[in-house]
Structure formats: structure tokens, C-alpha cells
């Protein structure tokens, strides 16, 4: 069975836009787990524009399923992860100025660096995953880093699927088969949503986990807003 890890970055974005503590990030983390999610994902960035570093600490006792912290392994991030010791750390090659993750690792040119970082996390007992594209040579090089898993970067698939191109899943299937043969676990994430997730799951063998944030939170607004509007109307009639 493929596990669902809910990325709650967007909840933090909404909270930060107004100040205060609404919506309550910790309560949302508790709720998504109560509703059945098998994990919680956060992606703190250096400018703390959504998830704050303190949030990562505050969430530690709240996440009773799997706790996944994503990010670029700069020293501040490494110190955070090694201190908290989440279930999994997902390494993402983000620049400081990106709005959202937009590329996987070049595991060939950065192999030595990744080996050192991964060894440090694994020594601390933290499962490791590398955010990566579907290039088979990069998958092979990822296995040489010592990582436990890869996370397939799925934006291209999602864009093509929305345009009617179901063949766009084929490189992901091939990457997953090779990764499994190399002994790697397979995660996936970025722009997966209610429209494409079932098809993707059906075509990716041994898919261990998907991490979904932006789409899930956006869909929750659309699918829940009718109920909330009617709850306000009901109260105003009293």
C-alpha cells in the first residue's frame, strides 16, 4: 500500500499571512493523521516564509505517524534534522530564491557531497530520500550515494497528464523499476492531485509514499467551502 504524507506548508503560509496562530498548524497536523494520513511532511526554507524552524520542533511530539522533513541540506537544515531526528529526511536541491522545488538532484556531479550528507543522517538513524528526475543514469548514481529512497519529481507527469498525455507516466515507471532493482525505495511528489494520483499509482510499481501539499490543501478549500458557507448561513438564521 502507498502511504500518504500530507505536506502542511500551505497551512503555515496562510497562518503567516495574517500573524497569530490561525490556522493552527499543530492542530492541522493532528487532524490529518486522525483522518487517516500516514505521515506529515514539512519543507522549511531559510527565509521561513511558511514553515518556521520552530514549527519543526513543535511538530515533533505531534506527529505520531511518519515525520518527513524536506529541504536543501545547508548546515542550518542539517543541524535541525539531526536535532529532531524525524522518520525521514528528503534532500531537495532548492536555491534560496525558488518559490517551489523545480528540479531533482544531479546525483552524478553531486555524488560525493550527497554521500557525505546521507552518511551523516543515516548514522543518526534517519531514513534518507533524494528528490530526483527520471533520468536512469541519475537513478543509478543515486543508488551509489547510499540513500534509502528516491522521490520522483512528478511535475512533468502532472502537466502532461492534464493535457491528455497519459504516456508521460512511462519514464516514471521505468525509473521506478530500475530503482527497485537497485534496492531503493520509491517516493513521489509535486503536483500530484485527485485527478492524476490513481493513474500514477497504478503505473508505478512499489510506490512506497506520496507527499502532497499544495493540491491537497487547495482541493480541501474547494470541496469544503460549500459546507462552511452553509454553516455560516445556518447560524445567521438563528
Amino acid at each position: 500500500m502507498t502511504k500518504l504524507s500530507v505536506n502542511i506548508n500551505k497551512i503555515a503560509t496562510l497562518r503567516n499571512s495574517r500573524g497569530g496562530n490561525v490556522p493552527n498548524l499543530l492542530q492541522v497536523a493532528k487532524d490529518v493523521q486522525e483522518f487517516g494520513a500516514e505521515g506529515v511532511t514539512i519543507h522549511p526554507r531559510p527565509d521561513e516564509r511558511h514553515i518556521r524552524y520552530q514549527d519543526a520542533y513543535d511538530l515533533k511530539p505531534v506527529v505520531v505517524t511518519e515525520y518527513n522533513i524536506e529541504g536543501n541540506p545547508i548546515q542550518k537544515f542539517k543541524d535541525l534534522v539531526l536535532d529532531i531526528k524525524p522518520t525521514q529526511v528528503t534532500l531537495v536541491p532548492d536555491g534560496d530564491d525558488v518559490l517551489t522545488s523545480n528540479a531533482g538532484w544531479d546525483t552524478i556531479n553531486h555524488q560525493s557531497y550527497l554521500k557525505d550528507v546521507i552518511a551523516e543522517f543515516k548514522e543518526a538513524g534517519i531514513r534518507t530520500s533524494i528528490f530526483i528526475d527520471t533520468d536512469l543514469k541519475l537513478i543509478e548514481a543515486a543508488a551509489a550515494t547510499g540513500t534509502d529512497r528516491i522521490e520522483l519529481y512528478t511535475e512533468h507527469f502532472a502537466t502532461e497528464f492534464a493535457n491528455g498525455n497519459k504516456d508521460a507516466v512511462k519514464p516514471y515507471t521505468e525509473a521506478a523499476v530500475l530503482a527497485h532493482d537497485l534496492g531503493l525505495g520509491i517516493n513521489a511528489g509535486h503536483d500530484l492531485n485527485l485527478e492524476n494520483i490513481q493513474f500514477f499509482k497504478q503505473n508505478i510499481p512499489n510506490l512506497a509514499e506520496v507527499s502532497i501539499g499544495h493540491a491537497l490543501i487547495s482541493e480541501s478549500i474547494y470541496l469544503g467551502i460549500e459546507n462552511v458557507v452553509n454553516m455560516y448561513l445556518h447560524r445567521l438564521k438563528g
Side-chain angles (χ1 to χ4, degrees), residues 26-37:
L26 302 186
Q27 187 61 49
V28 171
K30 292 176 185 177
D31 288 343
V32 296
Q33 292 173 99
E34 184 178 335
F35 299 155

Side-chain angles (χ1 to χ4, degrees), residues 114-132:
L114 288 168
K115 278 184 177 179
D116 291 344
V117 172
I118 287 165
E120 195 171 1
F121 286 138
K122 291 182 73 171
E123 186 177 357
I126 304 167
R127 188 173 73 220
T128 58
S129 181
I130 295 176
F131 196 61
I132 198 168

Side-chain angles (χ1 to χ4, degrees), residues 50-75:
H50 34 62
I51 291 292
R52 301 167 182 153
Y53 271 53
Q54 185 58 48
D55 291 331
Y57 286 97
D58 293 342
L59 284 162
K60 172 69 173 179
V62 170
V63 181
V64 296
T65 54
E66 292 201 351
Y67 191 12
N68 175 43
I69 302 181
E70 300 179 341
N72 190 357
I74 60 175
Q75 191 60 49

Side-chain angles (χ1 to χ4, degrees), residues 4-237:
L4 170 65
S5 185
V6 176
N7 185 318
I8 57 175
N9 274 27
K10 283 296 183 292
I11 300 298
T13 302
L14 184 58
R15 175 201 63 189
N16 295 353
S17 70
R18 186 68 179 263
N21 197 35
V22 178
N24 186 312
L25 188 78
L26 302 186
Q27 187 61 49
V28 171
K30 292 176 185 177
D31 288 343
V32 296
Q33 292 173 99
E34 184 178 335
F35 299 155
E38 296 105 336
V40 172
T41 292
I42 60 170
H43 188 147
R45 287 185 164 86
D47 62 6
E48 300 188 277
R49 63 181 179 267
H50 34 62
I51 291 292
R52 301 167 182 153
Y53 271 53
Q54 185 58 48
D55 291 331
Y57 286 97
D58 293 342
L59 284 162
K60 172 69 173 179
V62 170
V63 181
V64 296
T65 54
E66 292 201 351
Y67 191 12
N68 175 43
I69 302 181
E70 300 179 341
N72 190 357
I74 60 175
Q75 191 60 49
K76 183 180 179 183
F77 178 84
K78 289 198 297 180
D79 291 343
L80 175 81
V81 172
L82 290 169
D83 198 20
I84 293 174
K85 293 184 172 61
T87 316
Q88 176 176 269
V89 58
T90 301
L91 307 181
V92 183
D94 280 347
D96 291 347
D97 58 344
V98 298
L99 281 175
T100 186
S101 305
N102 56 18
W105 282 97
D106 180 340
T107 51
I108 297 172
N109 289 325
H110 294 110
Q111 185 163 127
S112 178
Y113 172 67
L114 288 168
K115 278 184 177 179
D116 291 344
V117 172
I118 287 165
E120 195 171 1
F121 286 138
K122 291 182 73 171
E123 186 177 357
I126 304 167
R127 188 173 73 220
T128 58
S129 181
I130 295 176
F131 196 61
I132 198 168
D133 296 299
T134 56
D135 186 314
L136 299 184
K137 290 181 180 178
L138 296 180
I139 304 293
E140 291 175 347
T145 67
T147 190
D148 299 299
R149 296 185 181 185
I150 57 168
E151 178 175 333
L152 293 171
Y153 171 39
T154 50
E155 181 182 16
H156 178 72
F157 158 74
T159 300
E160 290 297 310
F161 185 87
N163 292 330
N165 179 17
K166 293 185 176 180
D167 285 343
V169 79
K170 290 181 179 178
Y172 295 86
T173 305
E174 294 172 1
V177 169
L178 176 60
H180 181 70
D181 289 345
L182 293 170
L184 296 172
I186 301 146
N187 298 340
H190 206 90
D191 289 350
L192 295 175
N193 58 35
L194 284 174
E195 297 299 319
N196 60 38
I197 188 65
Q198 186 172 38
F199 179 83
F200 186 79
K201 155 68 177 170
Q202 290 170 344
N203 284 274
I204 306 300
N206 304 298
L207 182 60
E209 173 189 298
V210 292
S211 174
I212 304 178
H214 181 78
L216 187 150
I217 301 303
S218 298
E219 289 159 346
S220 297
I221 293 171
Y222 281 106
L223 296 174
I225 196 166
E226 180 180 4
N227 183 45
V228 175
V229 168
N230 279 282
M231 288 172 72
Y232 272 96
L233 291 172
H234 178 74
R235 283 157 177 76
L236 289 170
K237 290 175 183 176

